[in-house]
Amino acid sequence: MGKGDVKLLGTWPSPYVMRVKIALNLKSVDYEYQEDNLENKSELLLKSNPVYKKIPILLHGGKPICESLIIVQYIDEAWSGIGPSILPSDPYDRAVARFWAAYIDDEFYPARAVNRIVVANGEEAKAAAVKELKDALVLLEEAFLKISGEGKPFFGGDKIGYLDIALGSLLGWLTVTEKTFNVKLFEEATTPRLVSWVDSFCKHPAVKDELPDTHKLSEYAHNVVYPHLKEVAAAAAN
Amino acid sequence: MGENEIDEGLKVYGFSISPFTRKVEMTLNLKGIKYEHIEEDLNNKSSDLLRYNPVHKATPVLLHNGNPLPESLIIMEYIDDTWTDADPIMPPDPYDRAMVRFWANFIDTKLVPAIKVAVLRECEEEEHEKKIEEAKHWVKTIENVLGEKKKFFGGEKIGYLDIAAIWLIGWVPAMQEAAGWELISKEKFPFLSAWTQEMLSHQVVRDNLPHRDPLHAYYVWRLSGFKPELTPVFK
């Protein structure tokens, strides 16, 4: 199968696109990447994802698959037997990984935690939003202890897996949050296993070339994302 | 394990009037898997429920050999992966699997909320017409997934997406009846209508839908403007 068979539509700041890239790297899949523009969405984007009009979109043999976690599962199943498996093989472990990945997307980021920090009015509100995010990380630390096994570097155990990808893709944005608001999210005192995990994840061969430039991301956050979030919050308040 | 024995290690902590609980139980019943149902009062959650689902504190939760699992769609795939003797509800092909996961998620996150807003008028009065059009658009979208030819979303047999869509069969009619008008009519949505009849012709589906009266009472209560912070139990 040639490169033309697999195409990824994305945007460079998106952590969701990063998930798909890591999964494709793990399976050594050759693909064509197309940078899309959310201010001026391509025909292909709108045709391939008419329901949500969002990236990432994976096109395999021209057929579109949408939603990053669904795409990652698809990659695991379509290229099963090639490279490492991404989801756990045991049905219960697989279900638990799916549960935490859904938690990460629905509860942790972006809707609740990080956005709340950005739009918070005043120091008290900000501190409360930061605490919410840190509490969620403690929950994920506990999950890590239960899921990964004694002394293992990843949620997936010895190797990187679905949940590592789901959370790890957000690290660039979490770093930007830490720098912007002068907070430390991952700490030895409260999340020691996750602190080591961040290091292991970022060094992984399937990940390291996909890590975003946090400077560029920070600029993008300040110029585009944060103003937009504040606008949305202000409109909702009226 | 004999066919009529309950697997001691299998329990469903549920709230019977909720489609999320019913999706799980329909899956178990379709596969002939026996389990114990424990009814939760959402205003007075059991300590077991809180222990087994500390993150969301919600139903349904499946407890299998002491291992708890929340989230209906995740539970459904777990059941499919674990009880492999029975017919699978997920399609075998990776692309088809991605599609049913996508559409099941669409039903929960986009379709159902849009229908509720339109039928229960949970919006500003001037927005209502727009909300009705939006809801119809999403209903048409899922009808197009079904298409003209297929008996079920799963093809010839009831599958994951059919079960994920049971809200349309078991809950929407009662909601529309309480509201006094039909968003999803037979004329406007003929394929969905045919699918509904096909589904209702199956005993397992009929047995797993809530009774009309408590559901109707619930929607009448919702329509009267009460916010559902405290969910009354309608018998």
Side-chain angles (χ1 to χ4, degrees):
Chain A
M1 275 209 177
K3 213 180 202 181
D5 284 323
V6 184
K7 187 170 179 158
L8 172 61
L9 297 183
T11 58
W12 69 266
S14 167
Y16 306 108
V17 172
M18 188 178 164
R19 288 174 175 173
V20 178
K21 286 181 170 179
I22 296 171
L24 289 167
N25 290 347
L26 281 170
K27 296 291 191 177
S28 306
V29 175
D30 264 336
Y31 65 98
E32 183 196 328
Y33 175 73
Q34 180 177 304
E35 177 75 17
D36 220 298
N37 181 354
L38 296 183
E39 309 288 308
N40 186 18
K41 295 174 183 177
S42 70
E43 268 304 305
L44 186 58
L45 189 162
L46 297 172
K47 189 177 67 142
S48 307
N49 191 356
V51 174
Y52 299 112
K53 304 181 174 60
K54 285 197 210 164
I55 47 85
I57 300 168
L58 187 76
L59 290 140
H60 190 192
K63 297 200 289 189
I65 302 115
C66 310
E67 298 294 290
S68 63
L69 293 179
I70 292 178
I71 299 172
V72 170
Q73 290 180 77
Y74 172 78
I75 291 168
D76 199 30
E77 292 175 2
W79 282 275
S80 79
I82 297 171
S85 52
I86 298 173
L87 271 95
S89 50
D90 173 75
Y92 185 69
D93 295 340
R94 192 148 66 233
V96 168
R98 285 189 173 129
F99 171 80
W100 285 110
Y103 169 80
I104 286 164
D105 275 1
D106 298 339
E107 309 270 330
F108 176 77
Y109 181 99
R112 290 203 164 195
V114 175
N115 287 7
R116 283 228 181 133
I117 299 175
V118 173
V119 306
N121 265 320
E123 284 315 305
E124 224 175 86
K126 212 154 261 218
V130 170
K131 179 172 185 309
E132 208 186 303
L133 186 46
K134 287 171 108 157
D135 286 348
L137 283 169
V138 169
L139 214 57
L140 287 166
E141 168 87 7
E142 285 164 12
F144 188 91
L145 290 169
K146 282 203 201 111
I147 294 167
S148 86
E150 199 61 49
K152 304 282 183 181
F154 300 110
F155 282 95
D158 284 315
K159 57 184 174 84
I160 208 174
Y162 184 70
L163 199 42
D164 298 283
I165 296 171
L167 183 58
S169 57
L170 306 179
L171 288 172
W173 279 99
L174 290 173
T175 304
V176 168
T177 306
E178 286 184 318
K179 295 205 160 106
T180 308
F181 301 99
N182 199 26
V183 295
K184 245 198 148 317
L185 297 172
F186 293 97
E187 285 177 307
E188 272 299 331
T190 47
T191 55
R193 291 291 294 275
L194 286 182
V195 168
S196 333
W197 167 78
V198 169
D199 194 52
S200 309
F201 180 81
C202 293
K203 291 197 167 100
H204 192 284
V207 175
K208 62 184 181 22
D209 294 334
E210 309 302 347
L211 293 169
D213 176 342
T214 37
H215 261 96
K216 222 176 141 194
L217 213 56
S218 191
E219 241 174 55
Y220 181 77
H222 285 273
N223 295 337
V224 182
V225 182
Y226 295 168
H228 172 74
L229 289 175
K230 290 188 178 145
E231 219 176 85
V232 170
N238 292 332
Chain B
M1 177 132 298
E3 216 185 74
N4 293 318
E5 289 166 43
I6 291 180
D7 183 342
E8 283 305 328
L10 192 60
K11 295 186 167 129
V12 174
Y13 292 82
F15 184 56
S16 286
I17 213 164
S18 162
F20 300 105
T21 295
R22 294 293 179 156
K23 285 192 284 185
V24 169
E25 301 198 324
M26 193 173 292
T27 304
L28 290 166
N29 288 320
L30 264 170
K31 288 174 178 273
I33 301 165
K34 301 281 182 268
Y35 60 94
E36 186 192 342
H37 171 95
I38 294 155
E39 185 68 10
E40 286 287 334
D41 174 359
L42 295 188
N43 298 323
N44 188 18
K45 294 171 185 174
S46 73
S47 56
D48 274 347
L49 181 67
L50 298 175
R51 183 159 49 108
Y52 294 137
N53 192 1
V55 176
H56 300 301
K57 305 175 173 57
T59 53
V61 173
L62 186 82
L63 187 71
H64 187 207
N65 297 331
N67 292 323
L69 196 58
E71 301 297 299
S72 59
L73 294 177
I74 294 177
I75 297 171
M76 283 162 64
E77 283 211 51
Y78 171 75
I79 292 167
D80 216 36
D81 288 344
T82 306
W83 282 270
T84 50
D85 281 349
D87 278 348
I89 55 167
M90 289 288 287
D93 174 75
Y95 187 75
D96 295 337
R97 292 163 75 86
M99 289 304 102
V100 299
R101 286 173 181 142
F102 175 86
W103 290 115
N105 178 260
F106 163 82
I107 287 169
D108 281 349
T109 60
K110 216 142 170 95
L111 180 64
V112 169
I115 294 174
K116 280 187 179 162
V117 163
V119 179
L120 298 176
R121 301 184 99 103
E122 287 174 351
C123 57
E124 301 296 335
E125 197 49 52
E126 60 265 22
E127 291 245 300
H128 193 215
E129 275 307 313
K130 188 171 124 195
K131 293 296 179 187
I132 293 176
E133 285 317 301
E134 218 174 276
K136 283 188 179 156
H137 174 70
W138 296 131
V139 177
K140 207 41 157 174
T141 303
I142 201 73
E143 191 182 50
N144 290 338
V145 173
L146 180 66
E148 188 172 350
K149 306 213 180 85
K150 288 199 295 217
K151 212 155 114 182
F152 299 110
F153 285 98
E156 281 303 302
K157 290 187 300 154
I158 292 174
Y160 175 86
L161 191 49
D162 298 280
I163 301 170
I166 57 165
W167 193 81
L168 294 171
I169 302 174
W171 284 259
V172 165
M175 181 187 287
Q176 292 183 150
E177 202 190 332
W181 66 283
E182 267 192 329
L183 177 78
I184 304 180
S185 66
K186 199 165 134 184
E187 300 73 39
K188 295 220 169 72
F189 302 100
F191 308 141
L192 269 183
S193 205
W195 168 78
T196 302
Q197 295 315 311
E198 203 62 70
M199 287 284 278
L200 288 173
S201 71
H202 282 256
Q203 185 78 47
V204 166
V205 173
R206 286 200 306 276
D207 287 348
N208 274 289
L209 296 178
H211 293 135
R212 178 244 177 230
D213 289 349
L215 206 51
H216 184 259
Y218 171 73
Y219 286 122
V220 167
W221 172 76
R222 278 288 284 266
L223 278 159
S224 64
F226 291 107
K227 293 284 173 203
E229 277 112 24
L230 230 60
T231 312
V233 180
F234 293 96
K235 294 270 190 292

